[in-house]
């Protein structure tokens, strides 16, 4: 839809970002069903509140566009008109239209969910802060792969807990960083006159 010249800009507010919740990745995820359910609930509430729901979708040699593994899981399928941003790197902003899509919708706070905690979720959340967004990391809305036995990687439950704790204590000047369970995320948005809304 093309904006009319006199159209008012959208009021600043939050958006839900769903990162790489694709069939092949969710199939190897820790607490897959619970994470999908948490994100599905967030989607429902975001849509009811009129907040944007935006998807980042990885494409590479193992996730070829058009294949079943590349597709977003059916429980989290984008609704008509929602933005799906193709990406090829852990950082969902790198060489993509994500920043432009968020800016066009007046987004000032990004509610971050998806796969994998210490790779694409972490890379994208940090970049969001560097680009001027406030960030909510959904404590039960991100996950990582199941580890096959002992090894150099942290166990998935430890990795999720570690990153939640890091973000609880992360400080960025001029940004608000929060870690909230999905049940406590509010998509009510902010009006332009609200002092908590930060101009971008």
């Amino acid at each position: 839809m093309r904006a009319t010249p006199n159209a008012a800009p959208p009021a600043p507010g939050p958006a839900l970002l769903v990162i790489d919740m694709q069939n092949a990745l969710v199939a190897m995820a820790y607490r897959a069903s619970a994470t999908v359910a948490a994100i599905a609930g967030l989607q429902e509430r975001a849509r009811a509140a009129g907040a944007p729901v935006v998807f980042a979708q990885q494409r590479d040699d193992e996730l070829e566009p058009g294949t079943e593994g590349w597709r977003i899981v059916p429980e989290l399928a984008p609704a008509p008109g929602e933005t799906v941003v193709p990406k090829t790197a852990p950082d969902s902003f790198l060489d993509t239209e994500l920043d432009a899509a968020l800016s066009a919708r007046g987004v000032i706070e990004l509610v971050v969910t998806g796969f994998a905690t210490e790779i694409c979720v972490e890379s994208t959340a940090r970049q969001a802060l560097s680009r001027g967004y406030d960030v909510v990391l959904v404590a039960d809305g991100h996950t990582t792969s199941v580890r096959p036995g002992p090894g150099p990687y942290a166990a998935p439950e430890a990795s999720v807990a570690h990153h939640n704790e890091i973000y609880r204590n992360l400080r960025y000047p001029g940004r608000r960083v929060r870690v909230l369970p999905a049940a406590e995320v509010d998509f009510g948005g902010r009006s332009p006159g609200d002092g908590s809304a930060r101009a971008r």
Side-chain angles (χ1 to χ4, degrees):
M1 180 181 295
R2 185 171 298 174
T4 59
N6 296 323
L16 174 64
L17 178 62
V18 181
I19 302 171
D20 296 355
M21 292 298 286
Q22 297 161 250
N23 286 320
L25 303 178
V26 172
M28 67 175 76
Y30 165 69
R31 294 184 69 250
S33 297
T35 305
V36 167
I39 298 173
L42 289 166
Q43 286 180 333
E44 182 177 355
R45 286 170 23 228
R47 290 164 180 156
V53 179
V54 179
F55 300 80
Q57 187 174 24
Q58 181 71 19
R59 56 185 301 173
D60 53 34
D61 292 342
E62 297 179 357
L63 291 167
E64 185 177 344
T67 62
E68 191 62 26
W70 164 85
R71 291 187 176 90
I72 294 166
V73 295
E75 300 93 326
L76 304 179
E82 290 180 338
T83 299
V84 180
V85 177
K87 71 183 186 69
T88 58
D91 172 7
S92 301
F93 288 94
L94 182 63
D95 298 328
T96 74
E97 297 300 316
L98 179 58
D99 196 33
L102 297 175
S103 295
R105 290 160 177 77
V107 174
I108 60 170
E109 182 173 63
L110 208 54
V111 178
V112 179
T113 67
F115 182 96
T117 296
E118 59 283 279
I119 305 174
C120 298
V121 171
E122 159 68 3
S123 298
T124 299
R126 293 280 182 135
Q127 190 57 227
L129 290 165
S130 293
R131 288 173 180 258
Y133 297 93
D134 293 336
V135 165
V136 174
L137 180 63
V138 181
D140 51 347
H142 64 97
T143 188
T144 190
S145 56
V146 174
R147 319 296 194 205
Y153 287 108
E157 61 273 22
S159 184
V160 170
H162 171 81
H163 284 79
N164 285 341
E165 191 62 21
I166 289 291
Y167 274 77
R168 287 188 186 99
N169 292 281
L170 196 60
R171 301 291 179 266
Y172 267 64
R175 312 284 187 274
R176 185 164 71 152
V177 185
R178 295 182 292 159
V179 178
L180 297 174
E184 294 181 14
V185 175
D186 179 15
F187 290 103
R190 302 170 184 163
S191 67
D194 183 347
S196 65
R198 179 180 41 75
R200 297 191 60 245

